[in-house]
Amino acid sequence: QVSLVESGGGLVQPGGSLRLSCAASGSIFRTGAMGWYRRRPGKQRELVATIFIDFTTHYVQSVKGRFTISRDNDKKAVYLQMNNLKPEDTAVYYCNADIVREEGGHSANFWGQGTQVTVSS
């Protein structure tokens, strides 16, 4: 069984920073693309940032220059450094990962349980 566990959410004032972490555990051979999604109040879940196995990254336009995604393949972890946070960043943030459970196996997609980020004064 594979699980993704997020941490690092919380309440922060506008202009502040938070760092989200997500670690994959269980029977894992290799992690592929990893990313962060969010669901803002009243809106559909959206992709925030993705980092591929070669460390190339993709960001949604609204967070470019403020958020940085990174990964540690040895720890099977992905991180999201969020700076200059705005009230519109308030959301539940979800970790997502493509994981191969055994050598020669197919990739499957997994989700974390979500962590709340609230930006408010």
Side-chain angles (χ1 to χ4, degrees):
Q1 189 172 352
V2 172
S3 64
L4 300 178
V5 179
E6 300 119 332
S7 61
L11 173 64
V12 64
Q13 292 186 342
S17 298
L18 282 175
R19 185 176 189 248
L20 304 183
S21 299
C22 171
S25 63
S27 177
I28 298 171
F29 173 71
R30 185 181 68 245
T31 54
M34 305 182 81
W36 291 93
Y37 288 71
R38 67 184 179 188
R39 188 190 303 274
R40 293 185 283 179
K43 296 186 179 295
Q44 292 186 333
R45 187 160 54 186
E46 64 176 345
L47 174 64
V48 176
T50 302
I51 185 165
F52 297 93
I53 196 167
D54 62 357
F55 296 94
T56 58
T57 58
H58 166 80
Y59 297 92
V60 67
Q61 183 64 38
S62 61
V63 308
K64 284 183 178 179
R66 300 188 299 122
F67 291 10
T68 302
I69 189 170
S70 60
R71 65 187 289 163
D72 184 327
N73 289 335
D74 291 336
K75 295 182 178 179
K76 300 179 178 64
V78 62
Y79 309 97
L80 187 67
Q81 178 66 42
M82 304 184 294
N83 297 329
N84 190 22
L85 282 159
K86 304 176 180 180
E88 53 264 41
D89 295 317
T90 294
V92 179
Y93 284 73
Y94 297 90
C95 174
N96 179 270
D98 290 331
I99 292 174
V100 177
R101 299 182 63 181
E102 59 185 14
E103 187 173 5
H106 295 291
S107 174
N109 190 256
F110 293 86
W111 291 91
Q113 80 286 355
T115 185
Q116 177 70 46
V117 171
T118 302
V119 185
S120 175
S121 56

